[in-house]
């Protein structure tokens, strides 16, 4: 099936690499290029293809096309997704072949998720829609993850963690067991979340404490 990437920056190139790895492992994606609202059509994106246009061009696609979001900003991804009405567009899950899933039969997953290399997902895990799970992330047993979350490289989620929507867990951050994260939380790099966070807040440090700008 034909696939395009929405986002023509460095992360877009990384997702193109992910698609290549999937294809080498019996995948069947035909990469056609990128969509981007900030770069003119025809802009080359390294060796991976060219920008095909922005949201207006995507809305005019008249054949089935899979689209992967390569935008590391969950509110922007949500805004673009909610503006797409073209019924020809679908949003696949892209999972690196190196991802270790402890119990695939108990994993529940929505659409539009990207899971990068060398992650581990334990048993009885539920993952919603349009989450970015970067490389070397560990997701413990009985985790429930909502929609539009960004989990950065090396983050560790212990068992029984619940995460809502629109959260950002920084590089090498840690969430201890049975924690409940609501919506709009930012957990800083190398921080350890040990207490219940408040929505729409930033937490930094070990242990992580609320930080007001």
């Amino acid at each position: 099936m034909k696939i395009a990437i929405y986002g023509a920056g460095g992360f877009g190139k990384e997702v193109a690499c992910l698609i290549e790895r999937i294809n080498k492992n019996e995948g069947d994606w035909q990469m056609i290029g990128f969509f981007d609202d900030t770069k003119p059509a025809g802009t080359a994106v390294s060796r991976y293809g060219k920008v095909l246009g922005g949201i207006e061009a995507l809305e005019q696609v008249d054949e089935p096309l899979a689209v992967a979001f390569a935008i590391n900003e969950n509110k922007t991804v949500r805004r673009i997704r909610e503006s797409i009405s073209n019924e020809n567009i679908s949003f696949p899950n892209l999972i690196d072949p190196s991802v270790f899933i402890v119990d695939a039969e108990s994993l529940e997953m929505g659409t539009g998720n990207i899971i990068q290399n060398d992650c581990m997902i334990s048993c009885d895990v539920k993952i919603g829609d349009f989450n970015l799970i970067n490389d070397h992330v560990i997701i413990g047993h009985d985790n429930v993850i909502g929609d539009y979350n960004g989990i950065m490289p090396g983050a560790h989620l212990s068992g029984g963690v619940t995460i809502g929507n629109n959260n950002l867990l920084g590089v090498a951050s840690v969430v201890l067991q049975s924690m409940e994260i609501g919506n709009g939380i930012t957990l800083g790099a190398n921080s350890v979340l040990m207490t219940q966070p408040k929505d729409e807040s930033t937490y930094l440090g070990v242990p992580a404490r609320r930080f007001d700008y």
Side-chain angles (χ1 to χ4, degrees):
M1 182 176 181
K2 292 182 178 180
I3 189 169
I5 296 171
Y6 208 118
F11 184 31
K13 290 186 283 188
E14 289 185 341
V15 174
C17 293
L18 169 60
I19 292 170
E20 284 191 343
R21 293 195 297 273
I22 292 172
N23 281 343
K24 289 178 181 179
N25 194 55
E26 300 183 358
D28 193 27
W29 294 113
Q30 179 186 348
M31 176 71 178
I32 67 166
F34 299 79
F35 289 92
D36 196 293
D37 297 306
T38 65
K39 297 182 179 181
T43 301
V45 186
S46 189
R47 66 179 181 85
Y48 303 107
K50 296 181 179 181
V51 174
L52 305 172
I55 186 69
E56 293 182 0
L58 184 61
E59 285 290 88
Q60 295 173 7
V61 170
D62 59 1
E63 61 179 347
L65 177 66
V67 171
F69 286 109
I71 300 171
N72 196 12
E73 213 295 311
N74 48 32
K75 291 182 180 179
T76 301
V77 173
R78 179 185 284 272
R79 175 180 57 79
I80 295 172
R81 169 63 189 96
E82 291 177 349
S83 69
I84 296 173
S85 58
N86 188 339
E87 294 183 356
N88 290 308
I89 306 304
S90 61
F91 304 96
N93 295 312
L94 297 180
I95 303 174
D96 191 277
S98 66
V99 173
F100 175 49
I101 301 174
V102 173
D103 182 14
E105 291 188 6
S106 68
L107 174 62
E108 298 181 22
M109 188 180 303
T111 61
N113 297 288
I114 293 176
I115 305 180
Q116 291 280 35
N117 57 291
D118 297 315
C119 294
M120 190 281 283
I121 301 175
S122 190
C123 53
D124 291 300
V125 171
K126 297 180 180 179
I127 300 173
D129 302 326
F130 299 101
N131 295 287
L132 164 61
I133 300 174
N134 241 299
D135 53 288
H136 301 284
V137 169
I138 294 177
I139 298 177
H141 65 85
D142 298 291
N143 273 213
V144 178
I145 299 173
D147 305 328
Y148 298 98
N149 296 290
I151 305 177
M152 296 298 101
H156 288 195
L157 309 182
S158 302
V161 170
T162 300
I163 298 176
N165 307 317
N166 305 314
N167 298 289
L168 176 63
L169 307 184
V171 174
S173 59
V174 176
V175 180
L176 295 189
Q177 62 271 13
S178 303
M179 293 298 304
E180 295 186 8
I181 296 175
N183 305 308
I185 302 299
T186 297
L187 180 61
N190 292 301
S191 297
V192 179
L193 188 63
M194 302 173 65
T195 57
Q196 182 73 34
K198 295 183 178 180
D199 287 0
E200 306 298 332
S201 300
T202 297
Y203 288 79
L204 305 172
V206 182
R209 300 183 185 279
R210 188 178 180 185
F211 180 79
D212 293 321
Y213 289 96

